[in-house]
Amino acid sequence: ILNESAKAAGFTNTAAMWNSPFDLSTRDTPPEINIMNEVQNVQNKLMPLYKELHTYIRHYLPVLYPNATDITSDGPIPGHLLKSYNGDDWSAFYDTAKPFDELEDIESEIMKALHGQNMTVKGMFTKAYRYFKYLGFEKAPSSIWSKSIFTRVWSRSMICNPSTAIDMNDDNDYRIKTCEILGIKGFKQAHKLLFDMYYQFESKDQPLLLHDAPNPSFKTALSNAISIASGNIDYLKSLNLLPENYSISENSKINSLFKEAIEDFVKLPMYLVADLFRQEVFEGTLSPEEWNEEWWRLRSNLQGIKSPLKDEKKDNDVLVNTYVTQKHSPAVRYIISYVIQFQILRALCPDTPSNMLFNGCVLDKNIMNKIEIIMKEGATIDYLTALEMITGDRQFDATPMIEYFSPLYEWLKKYNEENGLYIGWDGKGEKFKESQLPKLGAIQTGVTRNEIGNEEKIAYPGQDCSKGEECLLDSICNGTRCICGEGLFTLEVAGTYSCVKGNPSDAGFGNGSDGLLIGLFEQPSSSPTTLPPSTSSKSHEEETTESATKKSNDCFKNNFSFTFLFFLISYYLF
């Protein structure tokens, strides 16, 4: 059916129609490039890094799955052991296999700074907006701030995904819809989404059908490059989100790249497998009886993954792959986007050393002016022309991506060589030697995992610090307990202490010691007393009436007290 639709549109088959936005062909003009050949050439250049990563993950599997008998030291990995549906996401291995258990954490530093500045999610977007204004972009439409959703509203049902910038095509009405949270990820996403909005906004003078980027892959690549640059250490320092003396360690650098590689980079071969298989089906060169065999041949050659079971021709494992059966679009668009984002990043950061490209750079106004010109063109130019205007080249180039991951690549090569691991999956099927297997109880720093994050060495406001515990959350140790530092006030909420800058007792319900008590507490029980004998007797009706009146008054007092307490809490918190 898909082929019939493609032929009706003037293409030879569905694969040709799907590839047309990327090879720049139409029903009347031939392709400018052979997109599948270009993508395969890029994949071949990236294969050394993929093989090193594959080798590293593979040598953890016998330790994690001691009862598995089909794991070899030099062969493909059984697909079901990779903890993801398609075997293309290895992020579940991060905590187990990350190269270093590094105590230094940029995420916690930035979170601490955001809290210290009383930053909100919308505040992160305003910081990103100021950056774009500094770079020379126009004033954003007011609808961005009045009609956008930046974070989840818990009082209503919301569909958060996908996060997107929206052109309402209605008199300068642009919006952002996302559910971000405070942190470095949300901060970088704020830059990405604002840039997406600006792409739509800058191209508003073009005809309606030519608004936005030449194709989604180019726009995603460009906004991702901006997102990487927004995480630059110097840029974050300029916003007081990192201390001036902060520097990222080599161990943290490798961990960060490792995490990105097992989340995103390892997907690239799967994308290629999906489209190579579908191309054969659409071209009619592959019969249904050959589907399963060809599917696993491609996966073995390109991914280093094999079927968990002995293949039979009657099986059709390909039908459960989401890229093949659920997404009626070319998967190579993700490869194109991922590759050219690093080409664009290299063009944005021409002076950044290769081993620091992962850190991005502080963007230059002159370079961004060039980007803005491309954005104003909208889809009136093709994506290769736009790429050439930025990078000076119309060709896909894997070199910047290799530069980006070079610290991780060098570390993997050294580690795999020192441990005598076989690179690739075309060996004789030999088992691992005991000396080749990692020891999960120890880490590269020589510190055992259960020592890291030991909460006996830290204390929070109000807790004991007499044994040398470090006081957190702006508190200091007075020799016995953590107390709030000079100029700070104590806020106690349901038995939990925090240090705040303003005097919380100004909001009411002070505890008499420059603090504020919020919570429901049991009334202390008074000692029983003996009532004097009654001097007058009352009828049952009188007693009932008085009892009802007393209960009514007590209920009114309790309701009034609770309402008043709720009002004060809301006033103080919101």
Side-chain angles (χ1 to χ4, degrees):
I1 295 176
L2 289 174
N3 268 350
E4 291 177 4
S5 300
K7 290 176 181 178
F11 295 94
T12 55
N13 55 57
T14 304
M17 181 177 68
W18 282 355
N19 290 337
S20 60
F22 305 99
D23 62 21
L24 306 183
S25 63
T26 66
R27 61 187 302 167
D28 302 317
T29 58
E32 179 178 328
I33 58 175
N34 187 320
I35 193 66
M36 295 307 296
N37 285 349
E38 292 289 333
V39 169
Q40 288 184 74
N41 289 338
V42 167
Q43 187 62 40
N44 290 338
K45 293 180 181 179
L46 297 174
M47 191 56 73
L49 171 58
Y50 182 83
K51 286 184 176 180
E52 295 287 349
L53 197 59
H54 179 281
T55 298
Y56 180 76
I57 292 294
R58 182 177 58 196
H59 95 300
Y60 271 89
L61 299 182
V63 182
L64 296 173
Y65 305 105
N67 296 325
T69 59
D70 52 351
I71 303 174
T72 63
S73 65
D74 54 7
I77 297 173
H80 67 299
L81 300 182
L82 289 172
K83 300 185 179 182
S84 61
Y85 192 72
N86 294 317
D88 63 338
D89 184 348
W90 305 349
S91 57
F93 293 100
Y94 178 73
D95 288 333
T96 301
K98 63 181 177 181
F100 301 96
D101 264 355
E102 186 63 51
L103 297 178
E104 177 186 8
D105 188 357
I106 188 173
E107 294 184 11
S108 62
E109 287 283 351
I110 290 178
M111 183 65 78
K112 180 180 177 181
L114 290 172
H115 286 162
Q117 297 179 23
N118 292 322
M119 185 64 61
T120 62
V121 171
K122 188 174 182 179
M124 294 194 302
F125 278 83
T126 59
K127 280 187 178 291
Y129 175 61
R130 289 173 183 171
Y131 193 31
F132 287 117
K133 288 286 289 179
Y134 159 77
L135 292 171
F137 284 81
E138 297 181 36
K139 179 181 178 181
S142 60
S143 59
I144 283 293
W145 310 113
S146 61
K147 298 181 180 180
S148 292
I149 294 178
F150 298 111
T151 190
R152 179 183 289 277
V153 180
W154 295 103
S155 60
R156 69 176 74 164
S157 177
M158 294 179 61
I159 299 176
C160 289
N161 291 321
S163 297
T164 185
I166 307 170
D167 178 2
M168 303 300 291
N169 295 315
D170 181 21
D171 191 25
N172 219 27
D173 188 353
Y174 298 83
R175 308 179 189 183
I176 287 173
K177 189 269 296 182
T178 186
C179 296
E180 296 306 322
I181 59 176
L182 280 178
I184 183 61
K185 289 184 179 179
F187 182 78
K188 294 168 76 171
Q189 183 75 347
H191 289 72
K192 175 182 171 65
L193 290 173
L194 268 179
F195 183 82
D196 286 344
M197 180 279 299
Y198 263 117
Y199 212 129
Q200 299 167 346
F201 179 66
E202 294 284 358
S203 60
K204 64 182 181 300
D205 294 331
Q206 300 296 342
L208 179 61
L209 296 180
L210 299 178
H211 282 191
D212 220 339
N215 66 37
S217 292
F218 179 78
K219 179 181 177 181
T220 300
L222 190 49
S223 60
N224 282 345
I226 298 294
S227 176
I228 294 172
S230 69
N232 176 261
I233 300 296
D234 293 328
Y235 172 52
L236 295 174
K237 287 180 180 179
S238 71
L239 299 176
N240 296 319
L241 295 179
L242 286 176
E244 283 298 324
N245 61 352
Y246 180 87
S247 62
I248 187 168
S249 69
E250 192 69 21
N251 293 357
S252 293
K253 180 194 307 183
I254 292 172
N255 274 357
S256 177
L257 290 172
F258 176 74
K259 186 175 184 179
E260 181 175 350
I262 61 177
E263 286 179 352
D264 300 322
F265 174 77
V266 296
K267 287 183 169 68
L268 302 185
M270 180 73 258
Y271 297 146
L272 183 56
V273 167
D275 274 10
L276 286 175
F277 175 84
R278 288 190 294 187
Q279 181 171 303
E280 292 184 73
V281 173
F282 291 140
E283 291 177 349
T285 60
L286 194 65
S287 65
E289 293 77 16
E290 300 171 309
W291 282 13
N292 207 54
E293 182 180 356
E294 177 65 5
W295 175 249
W296 285 110
R297 184 190 71 81
L298 289 171
R299 295 198 67 181
S300 178
N301 289 346
L302 295 174
Q303 282 187 283
I305 295 175
K306 66 179 181 180
S307 172
L309 302 174
K310 183 179 180 181
D311 299 328
E312 296 183 11
K313 291 186 178 180
K314 65 179 181 180
D315 292 336
N316 246 331
D317 298 327
V318 64
L319 296 181
V320 300
N321 186 274
T322 55
Y323 297 112
V324 174
T325 58
Q326 297 182 21
K327 298 184 179 181
H328 296 291
S329 60
V332 293
R333 64 178 179 163
Y334 303 114
I335 301 180
I336 295 170
S337 175
Y338 199 64
V339 170
I340 66 176
Q341 86 176 34
F342 296 106
Q343 292 181 248
I344 294 171
L345 180 64
R346 169 45 77 196
L348 294 177
C349 308
D351 300 325
T352 303
S354 297
N355 65 341
M356 289 300 293
L357 187 59
F358 79 97
N359 185 41
C361 61
V362 177
L363 298 175
D364 180 78
K365 289 184 179 181
N366 294 328
I367 296 177
M368 292 307 296
N369 287 340
K370 187 190 303 183
I371 300 293
E372 194 172 5
I373 292 173
I374 295 171
M375 294 163 68
K376 290 182 182 296
E377 295 291 334
T380 61
I381 58 176
D382 62 76
Y383 80 107
L384 291 181
T385 299
L387 180 65
E388 184 179 16
M389 293 172 67
I390 298 173
T391 66
D393 193 353
R394 294 175 67 87
Q395 303 296 318
F396 302 141
D397 185 7
T399 304
M401 190 193 301
I402 295 172
E403 288 184 53
Y404 183 89
F405 285 107
S406 60
L408 173 64
Y409 181 48
E410 295 301 324
W411 184 88
L412 286 171
K413 285 199 301 183
K414 181 180 178 182
Y415 179 92
N416 291 337
E417 182 180 356
E418 289 177 349
N419 287 274
L421 301 179
Y422 186 89
I423 309 301
W425 46 84
D426 56 352
K428 299 178 181 179
E430 297 181 356
K431 297 295 183 180
F432 280 98
K433 299 175 183 178
E434 189 66 29
S435 61
Q436 294 176 317
L437 299 179
K439 294 178 174 57
L440 299 185
I443 54 177
Q444 301 296 331
T445 55
V447 182
T448 57
R449 290 183 184 273
N450 58 9
E451 290 181 0
I452 295 179
N454 189 341
E455 294 199 0
E456 293 180 0
K457 298 180 181 179
I458 61 175
Y460 297 95
Q463 293 184 344
D464 181 66
C465 61
S466 59
K467 296 181 180 179
E469 291 86 350
E470 178 187 358
C471 292
L472 303 181
L473 302 181
D474 297 320
S475 63
I476 57 176
C477 186
N478 66 356
T480 56
R481 291 197 173 276
C482 295
I483 61 173
C484 292
E486 184 177 357
L488 299 177
F489 297 85
T490 304
L491 172 65
E492 180 186 357
V493 180
T496 300
Y497 296 86
S498 299
C499 299
V500 295
K501 294 181 179 179
N503 188 347
S505 62
D506 291 343
F509 287 105
N511 64 359
S513 302
D514 291 331
L516 177 68
L517 292 176
I518 301 177
L520 300 177
F521 304 94
E522 292 184 2
Q523 294 293 332
S525 58
S526 57
S527 57
T529 57
T530 304
L531 295 176
S534 176
T535 57
S536 63
S537 61
K538 297 180 182 179
S539 67
H540 176 71
E541 290 80 9
E542 289 176 326
E543 290 178 352
T544 302
T545 302
E546 287 185 5
S547 176
T549 303
K550 184 177 184 301
K551 288 181 179 179
S552 177
N553 291 337
D554 289 343
C555 182
F556 173 77
K557 291 177 181 178
N558 289 338
N559 288 339
F560 176 80
S561 299
F562 183 82
T563 303
F564 186 62
L565 175 61
F566 179 80
F567 170 77
L568 286 175
I569 294 173
S570 301
Y571 175 81
Y572 180 74
L573 294 178
F574 302 103

